[in-house]
Amino acid sequence: MSILVTRSSMPSFEEYCEEIKDLWESHWLTNMGIKHQLFQKQLEDFLECPHVALYTNGHLALENSIASMNFPNGAEVITTPFTFVSTTHAIVRNSLTPIFCDIKPDDFTIDPEKIETLITERTVAIVPVHVYGNICDIDAIESIAKKHNLKVIYDAAHSFGEKYKGVSTANFGDASVFSFHATKVFNTIEGGAVCFKDDNLISILNDMKNFGIRDAENVVYVGGNAKMSEFQAAMGICNLRHIKTEIEKRKNVAERYRCNLNGVKGIKLCEPKDNAIYNYAYFPVAFDGYDTNRDNILLELKKNDIIARKYFYPLTSDLQCYKHLSSANNNKTPIATYWSDRILTLPMYADLCLEDVDRICKIVIQKNSTF
Ligand SMILES: *Cc1c(COP(=O)(O)O)cnc(C)c1O
């Protein structure tokens, strides 16, 4: 049987049916119904964050969180090219200019030391990504933002349930945005949320996802439609009941990978930070020291019906729609360019069995040693 790179977590069929049963009483399927309200409250508690605005997906949550800050057209936003394309799209679709910043070689998150060199009088914000669930250097980013009066919007799509120094990653920056896509650690089928502390953003973020409608006769923003439905919220309510055990199971998988791969010549793993609680969203492995090794390992795994992914290759700055930008120059992001040629994320999900992890590692090690 083939092993895919991920597998969605689901409650039992009976549990989901039980949760959606009352929707057949109410006939209220979307527009911030009781499931939406309950799920929002549960997330505010779980993520230990004062405000959560639920969205139909993570991308629109990110796009709207940036829109809510009212930046002038063409202003510059410093961000990482080592991410899923949604991050860059969310900036550009707000008529802002992404300025690609290099990453750190140890955890692949944006390099704060390089952020400062990119700040101009047009810079308005930083959009870092907790890539793979590796928590950004939030202290350094916060102090740069304070010093230069910049907003920080974290793409926290990979970071659900994580903490740094005891603080939930939902609380960092001016906003932190999660994705609850089917492939993420925690899912609502499709879904996402903006988490924030500023009371002034509550009505903006809630109105913007509903056409900018404040009440029956007042439309106050040029909003779109990005509401989370009752069925998505119900999935969230069910999956949230099991999130602790799901993350615990992922942790066992990650430890098994580590056990097999740690110290193998030419293989580099991310070292966890002290003071951090992780969600084990992905298992990235960097193949260093052997040219073109990564693609051969990907193929060898595929021959064995095991699907790994080149996350994140190409860099978003290398994509056809962004290559023309002046900051989209691989020479300006050499570390991101280097590692995006060498990384694979191996299969990672709660129900991946440890014998399969051993088998995957055996193939990886065998192929790796033939170079
Ligand atoms: C998944 C993801 C998104 C987009 O989330 P969707 O819920 O799929 O719209 C944004 N950024 C990153 C880094 C992601 O991995």
Side-chain angles (χ1 to χ4, degrees), residues 57-59 83-84 86-87 129 155 157-158 179 181 184 191:
N57 59 53
H59 176 77
T83 182
F84 181 54
S86 167
T87 318
V129 180
D155 182 336
H158 300 174
S179 163
H181 185 256
K184 302 294 187 339

Side-chain angles (χ1 to χ4, degrees), residues 80-86 88 100 314-319 322-323:
T80 167
F82 192 77
T83 182
F84 181 54
V85 69
S86 167
T88 311
F100 296 106
L315 297 175
T316 68
S317 52
D318 248 353
L319 299 172
Y322 295 125
K323 318 203 246 233

Side-chain angles (χ1 to χ4, degrees), residues 123-325:
T123 310
V124 290
I126 309 168
V127 176
V129 180
H130 301 302
V131 67
Y132 305 131
N134 290 344
I135 299 164
C136 294
D137 197 341
I138 47 147
D139 297 327
I141 292 170
E142 189 179 303
S143 81
I144 292 167
K146 267 218 179 93
K147 184 169 154 199
H148 298 274
N149 196 24
L150 306 175
K151 299 282 188 196
V152 182
I153 299 134
Y154 281 101
D155 182 336
H158 300 174
S159 187
F160 188 83
E162 295 192 319
K163 289 185 179 179
Y164 181 60
K165 293 183 183 162
V167 180
S168 158
T169 53
N171 283 315
F172 298 135
D174 296 279
S176 283
V177 180
F178 293 97
S179 163
F180 308 144
H181 185 256
T183 55
K184 302 294 187 339
V185 167
F186 170 78
N187 85 79
T188 60
I189 311 168
E190 293 265 6
V194 187
C195 298
F196 54 99
K197 286 172 283 193
D198 182 358
D199 296 342
N200 296 316
L201 289 179
I202 302 174
S203 58
I204 303 177
L205 283 167
N206 284 322
D207 294 345
M208 279 202 325
K209 71 181 178 196
N210 188 27
F211 306 102
I213 297 173
R214 174 67 44 88
D215 58 46
E217 297 186 4
N218 289 294
V219 177
V220 292
Y221 303 108
V222 185
N225 181 3
K227 301 184 297 289
M228 175 179 278
S229 78
E230 292 292 277
F231 289 82
Q232 291 171 286
M235 190 65 150
I237 290 167
C238 293
N239 277 336
L240 198 57
R241 289 189 192 115
H242 307 287
I243 187 69
K244 287 220 165 86
T245 47
E246 289 292 293
I247 291 177
E248 198 58 37
K249 283 156 89 183
R250 282 175 175 272
K251 183 177 185 201
N252 292 337
V253 172
E255 280 172 357
R256 189 68 158 234
Y257 268 127
R258 226 166 241 294
C259 219
N260 276 294
L261 297 177
N262 214 7
V264 174
K265 189 163 170 264
I267 286 182
K268 188 178 103 107
L269 306 178
C270 292
E271 290 309 318
K273 261 189 193 161
D274 292 339
N275 304 324
I277 292 175
Y278 290 103
N279 64 8
Y280 310 93
Y282 296 85
F283 199 84
V285 177
F287 298 94
D288 195 13
Y290 304 91
D291 277 351
T292 70
N293 197 354
R294 185 268 307 264
D295 289 7
N296 288 310
I297 288 167
L298 182 75
L299 282 176
E300 188 67 21
L301 287 168
K302 200 165 174 209
K303 272 190 218 154
N304 287 276
D305 236 350
I306 296 162
I307 309 303
R309 283 270 185 264
K310 295 197 247 181
Y311 284 156
F312 287 94
Y313 172 90
L315 297 175
T316 68
S317 52
D318 248 353
L319 299 172
Q320 193 188 319
C321 55
Y322 295 125
K323 318 203 246 233
H324 64 281
L325 295 175

